[in-house]
C-alpha cells in the first residue's frame, strides 16, 4: 500500500499520491469522493406531513412530460446538509405523482443557486407504473390496464413524421407543408419517441416491471427502470432482443442509467 495524501481544490480532487504531504492526517481512514442517490426527492420537500413544503408533484394534469424538476429544486433545503454529512453529495432528483411526472435532473447537493447545483437537467421523463401511476387527474387512468392504454395513446399521438421520400416530387402548383409548430409537451413526447430524451420507468411490483419492459421494447424507447422493489420473476422479461434502445434495468430501489 502506498502512503500519500489527497489534495482538494475548489471542491474537487486534483492530486493523489505520496507527493501530497501537508494537511490533516486521517490516520489510514478510507476516503470516498462521494455517494450519489439513484432516485431522490431531496430539495423538493422539507416536512413530510406538511403539504405546503412539498413541491415534487404537479397536480394540474396527470401527464406533464415537459415539466422540469430542477425548477422546483430548493438548493437551500435544510435536508441537504444532512445528506452531505452522510457522504451523499448528489443524485438523480425525480418528480413524482401522476402518470408522467416530468423530467428528472442530476443535481449536486451543493451551491446556493439552482444553476450551481444542476449538473444535467432533462435527464429523463419519469413514467409511473402500477398504482403510483393511476388516479383521477386528466391523462391519468384508474387501473393498470387503463394506464397502459393511456400510455400507448400518448406515444402513438406523438409519433415523429415519416422522413420524406427523396424520389418523390411536389407538384409544381403545390407548396411544401409549413414546419410544425409544437408545444413544449409535444416536443418532449417527440424527443421520447426519437430516443433523444430518456424515459425513467418507475415500477416496483414484478408484473409492473414486466409491463414497463414490454412497453419499452414495443416503442423502442431509450429507457431505464427505477424502483424495482419486487424484482423476483421479472428477470429476463426483456427477451433476447433487450428492452429497447440503450435500455437497462435495476434491482433494489435504485436507478441504472446507461
Amino acid at each position: 500500500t502506498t502512503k500519500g495524501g489527497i489534495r482538494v481544490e475548489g471542491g474537487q480532487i486534483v492530486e493523489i499520491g505520496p507527493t501530497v504531504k501537508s494537511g490533516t492526517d486521517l490516520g489510514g481512514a478510507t476516503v470516498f469522493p462521494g455517494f450519489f442517490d439513484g432516485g431522490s426527492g431531496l430539495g423538493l420537500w422539507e416536512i413530510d406531513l406538511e403539504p405546503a413544503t412539498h413541491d415534487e408533484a404537479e397536480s394540474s394534469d396527470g401527464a406533464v412530460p415537459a415539466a422540469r424538476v430542477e425548477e422546483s429544486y430548493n438548493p437551500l433545503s435544510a435536508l441537504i446538509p444532512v445528506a452531505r454529512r452522510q457522504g451523499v453529495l448528489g443524485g438523480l432528483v425525480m418528480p413524482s405523482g401522476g402518470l408522467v411526472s416530468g423530467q428528472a435532473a442530476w443535481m449536486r447537493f451543493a451551491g446556493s443557486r439552482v444553476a450551481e447545483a444542476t449538473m444535467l437537467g432533462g435527464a429523463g421523463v419519469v413514467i409511473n407504473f402500477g398504482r403510483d401511476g393511476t388516479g383521477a387527474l386528466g391523462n391519468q387512468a384508474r387501473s393498470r390496464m387503463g394506464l397502459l392504454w393511456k400510455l400507448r395513446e400518448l406515444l402513438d399521438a406523438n409519433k415523429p413524421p415519416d422522413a420524406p421520400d427523396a424520389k418523390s416530387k411536389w407538384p409544381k402548383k403545390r407548396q411544401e407543408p409549413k414546419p410544425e409548430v409544437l408545444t413544449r409537451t409535444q416536443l418532449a413526447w417527440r424527443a421520447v419517441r426519437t430516443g433523444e430524451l430518456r424515459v425513467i420507468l418507475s415500477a416496483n411490483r414484478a408484473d409492473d416491471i414486466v409491463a414497463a419492459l414490454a412497453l419499452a421494447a414495443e416503442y423502442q424507447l431509450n429507457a431505464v427502470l427505477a424502483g424495482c422493489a419486487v424484482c423476483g420473476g421479472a428477470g429476463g422479461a426483456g427477451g433476447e432482443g433487450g428492452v429497447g434502445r440503450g435500455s437497462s434495468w435495476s434491482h433494489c430501489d435504485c436507478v441504472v442509467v446507461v
Side-chain angles (χ1 to χ4, degrees), residues 216-235:
E218 180 180 348
Y219 287 91
Q220 284 297 290
L221 302 176
N222 181 4
V224 297
L225 279 177
C228 305
V230 182
C231 334

Side-chain angles (χ1 to χ4, degrees), residues 118-132:
T118 304
M119 293 187 290
L120 176 65
V125 173
V126 178
I127 299 177
N128 299 302
F129 284 76
R131 284 298 172 191
D132 289 342

Side-chain angles (χ1 to χ4, degrees), residues 62-63 97-101 126-156 189 200-205 207-216 218-219 221 225:
L99 174 60
V100 182
S101 303
V126 178
I127 299 177
N128 299 302
F129 284 76
R131 284 298 172 191
D132 289 342
T134 60
L137 298 176
N139 282 315
Q140 196 171 13
R142 299 184 183 230
S143 66
R144 282 178 166 83
M145 64 178 178
L147 182 150
L148 288 165
W149 159 69
K150 179 58 69 175
L151 281 174
R152 288 190 176 97
E153 275 204 335
L154 290 168
L155 290 166
D156 289 341
W189 279 121
I200 301 171
L201 308 175
S202 179
N204 286 296
R205 210 170 82 172
D207 55 345
D208 292 330
I209 296 171
V210 172
L213 294 174
L215 188 78
E218 180 180 348
Y219 287 91
L221 302 176
L225 279 177

Side-chain angles (χ1 to χ4, degrees), residues 53-184:
T53 70
H54 285 248
D55 209 14
E56 72 272 27
E58 174 52 53
S59 59
S60 63
D61 194 277
V64 287
R68 300 175 70 95
V69 78
E70 64 267 28
E71 294 174 347
S72 277
Y73 184 78
N74 176 17
L76 301 180
S77 167
L79 301 179
I80 291 176
V82 178
R84 288 183 59 84
R85 281 196 293 271
Q86 301 300 318
V88 182
L89 304 185
L92 182 66
V93 176
M94 295 170 53
S96 61
L99 174 60
V100 182
S101 303
Q103 298 181 28
W106 286 103
M107 307 298 291
R108 180 183 294 109
F109 297 154
S112 58
R113 296 183 300 165
V114 172
E116 294 173 343
T118 304
M119 293 187 290
L120 176 65
V125 173
V126 178
I127 299 177
N128 299 302
F129 284 76
R131 284 298 172 191
D132 289 342
T134 60
L137 298 176
N139 282 315
Q140 196 171 13
R142 299 184 183 230
S143 66
R144 282 178 166 83
M145 64 178 178
L147 182 150
L148 288 165
W149 159 69
K150 179 58 69 175
L151 281 174
R152 288 190 176 97
E153 275 204 335
L154 290 168
L155 290 166
D156 289 341
N158 291 280
K159 180 182 177 182
D162 295 329
D165 187 350
K167 296 181 181 179
S168 64
K169 296 182 179 179
W170 290 98
K172 293 181 180 179
K173 295 183 179 180
R174 183 179 174 185
Q175 294 181 348
E176 294 189 18
K178 294 181 180 180
E180 289 183 289
V181 179
L182 302 177
T183 65
R184 290 182 184 275

